[in-house]
Amino acid sequence: MGVGGGIAAYKICDVISTQVKAGWQVSAILSETASQFITPLTLSTLCRRSVLTDADFWHPQAPRPLHIELAETATLMLIAPLTANTLAKLVLGLADNLLTSTVLASQMPILVAPAMNTTMWEQPTVQAHWQQLQQQPRYHSLPPAYGHLACDTVGVGRMAQTQEIIAYLDSLAYTHGKRDLAGKHLLITAGGTREYWDAVRFIGNPATGKMGIALARAALHRGAKVTLIHGAIAEPIPAQVRAIEAMSGEAMFKAVLEVWPEADWLVMAAAVGDVRPAQQWSGKLPKSALPTALPLSPVPDILQAAAQMRRPHQRLIGFAAQTGDVVAPAQEKLKRKGLDLIVANAVDQADCGFGTTENAAVVLDCQGRSRHLAKVPKLILAHQIFDIVQEWLP
């Protein structure tokens, strides 16, 4: 981990702490200016090992050059906050300190997360360097976000959120930096739909959108263009994802069919309700006026409509949340809706399904193949699903 000289350096403490607790071995390189914002003692305590500085780089008693040792033993690198100065050095291939020398001596994937004043970020030279860095395959990026900066400016320049940095690191550890979805447009749905029958009451389900957003993150990290159409969710959406809110089944139906013609894959992870109230009331009904029976009508079938519109290169991936036997109902849904592949998961098992951080699944395709995926974090499960899609549906 390379820490640049900026006020956002303090945010790196959460990243290091989280990854160390997850079993990662983290070595931190503190640039000369970064030590003005955060101390080596703080980072070494979190890393459980000594923090490296330029003073270590030039130490004459090292058995091997330090930058070579680091470059050969690390799996991947994070540089955050990435300053305008270090950005320029990376683009030009300069190596005048331990951090940039380690970069040049390695071939590992590198995730960069810039942070700086808005005016600095918008300078033509900085933007040109940023675009040049994107063209080098080993660099993966989390661009700065809009917000209130430490200098009291309001604009683009905030470093990406810790959750997004950690998720991207987890993806890189799984994929080793491959971008095998580059050039593809994935349309993904997430969250639960709500069918209101008055201003405050609705028919819904416990879906939180965690699986759909994990799929969006995984696709984004593998190079895809991602459109996420979502209902009710409890997770932040990555800034690089095009997000469209669709809270009802009808709204999601319209949004999906509008975007589907321009997409390559449709991954239908949303928990769309099957029925909606046949009548809706404006305002909130008083308790005394609540109906004793609520007539229902069917919600439009999104996957069936998408299957009828599909072109030869397009792929349809569905999800089936089930209790009890998950395989038989999923196989029936796969055939009935004309899907290429379906992901079945049990929502009646402990720590799986709605609202959990982990999930397990059975993946089935129209050729009769199946694969059981053991319980893992939902981001890793998303990557495993994409691996199977590309293996079974070339």
Side-chain angles (χ1 to χ4, degrees):
M1 180 169 295
V3 185
I7 187 61
Y10 79 90
K11 297 181 179 180
I12 290 306
C13 295
D14 280 344
V15 177
I16 294 175
S17 178
T18 300
Q19 298 306 80
V20 169
K21 289 175 183 176
W24 289 50
Q25 297 180 33
V26 181
S27 296
I29 300 173
L30 195 62
S31 71
E32 183 178 355
T33 52
S35 62
Q36 305 298 313
F37 294 93
I38 190 168
T39 68
L41 178 60
T42 299
L43 295 190
S44 63
T45 302
L46 295 172
C47 290
R48 315 290 198 268
R49 60 178 66 192
S50 297
V51 167
L52 303 168
T53 66
D54 285 347
D56 301 296
F57 186 30
W58 305 115
H59 198 285
Q61 297 180 2
R64 295 186 71 209
L66 181 56
H67 64 299
I68 302 298
E69 188 74 23
L70 291 170
E72 291 180 353
T73 57
T75 304
L76 54 93
M77 177 182 279
L78 165 68
I79 303 177
L82 175 68
T83 63
N85 186 49
T86 300
L87 170 61
K89 290 179 180 180
L90 296 180
V91 170
L92 298 173
L94 301 181
D96 63 348
N97 58 24
L98 178 57
L99 174 57
T100 53
S101 295
T102 303
V103 169
L104 283 192
S106 75
Q107 295 181 321
M108 59 183 146
I110 299 174
L111 175 63
V112 294
M116 64 190 76
N117 166 267
T118 302
T119 303
M120 295 173 68
W121 173 249
E122 293 176 347
Q123 288 292 335
T125 50
V126 173
Q127 286 301 301
H129 287 157
W130 180 243
Q131 295 305 318
Q132 286 177 269
L133 199 70
Q134 310 307 300
Q135 295 168 16
Q136 299 186 39
R138 69 183 298 208
Y139 288 103
H140 299 256
S141 61
L142 282 169
Y146 181 91
H148 195 125
L149 309 183
C151 57
D152 291 329
T153 299
V154 177
V156 176
R158 290 176 60 89
M159 193 169 76
Q161 293 295 318
T162 298
Q163 180 180 2
E164 294 302 328
I165 293 174
I166 291 171
Y168 213 135
L169 290 173
D170 289 342
S171 285
L172 290 176
Y174 181 91
T175 65
H176 305 292
K178 66 182 178 183
R179 287 188 172 93
D180 52 352
L181 294 182
K184 291 190 182 297
H185 180 186
L186 269 62
L187 172 57
I188 299 171
T189 66
T193 56
R194 295 177 174 180
E195 304 297 340
Y196 282 86
W197 49 280
D198 74 0
V200 299
R201 301 179 179 94
F202 59 85
I203 299 172
N205 57 67
T208 60
K210 288 185 175 182
M211 190 67 235
I213 293 173
L215 287 158
R217 282 198 180 99
L220 187 70
H221 298 164
R222 293 169 82 145
K225 174 185 176 182
V226 180
T227 298
L228 182 74
I229 298 175
H230 67 88
I233 56 175
E235 284 272 310
I237 299 171
Q240 293 160 287
V241 168
R242 175 192 175 197
I244 301 170
E245 184 179 271
M247 294 301 294
S248 69
E250 179 71 28
M252 190 167 286
F253 179 87
K254 292 177 180 178
V256 168
L257 295 193
E258 182 178 340
V259 179
W260 175 226
E262 65 191 61
D264 297 295
W265 298 2
L266 170 57
V267 185
M268 196 72 196
V272 181
D274 298 305
V275 294
R276 60 188 175 188
Q279 180 181 355
Q280 288 182 303
W281 288 265
S282 61
K284 178 185 176 182
L285 287 175
K287 190 173 182 178
S288 59
L290 292 178
T292 56
L294 189 66
L296 303 175
S297 59
V299 169
D301 192 313
I302 299 172
L303 276 174
Q304 223 161 34
Q308 293 171 359
M309 295 171 55
R310 71 185 302 179
R311 289 171 292 168
H313 76 281
Q314 291 179 307
R315 299 286 179 254
L316 275 171
I317 298 102
F319 274 68
Q322 302 290 344
T323 59
D325 175 23
V326 303
V327 173
Q331 287 175 326
E332 189 276 330
K333 182 177 179 179
L334 175 76
K335 295 176 183 177
R336 174 169 46 87
K337 299 200 175 186
L339 308 180
D340 294 299
L341 184 144
I342 194 165
V343 181
N345 66 287
V347 294
D348 57 350
Q349 294 183 5
D351 301 322
C352 284
F354 295 131
T356 62
T357 57
E358 296 184 319
N359 210 351
V362 181
V363 183
L364 312 163
D365 79 345
C366 54
Q367 303 300 319
R369 292 173 288 197
S370 66
R371 187 169 299 173
H372 289 255
L373 300 176
K375 186 169 70 171
V376 291
K378 287 182 174 178
L379 178 65
I380 303 305
L381 185 67
H383 282 296
Q384 292 174 343
I385 292 168
F386 290 148
D387 287 343
I388 294 171
V389 174
Q390 294 186 98
E391 177 187 345
W392 290 357
L393 306 172

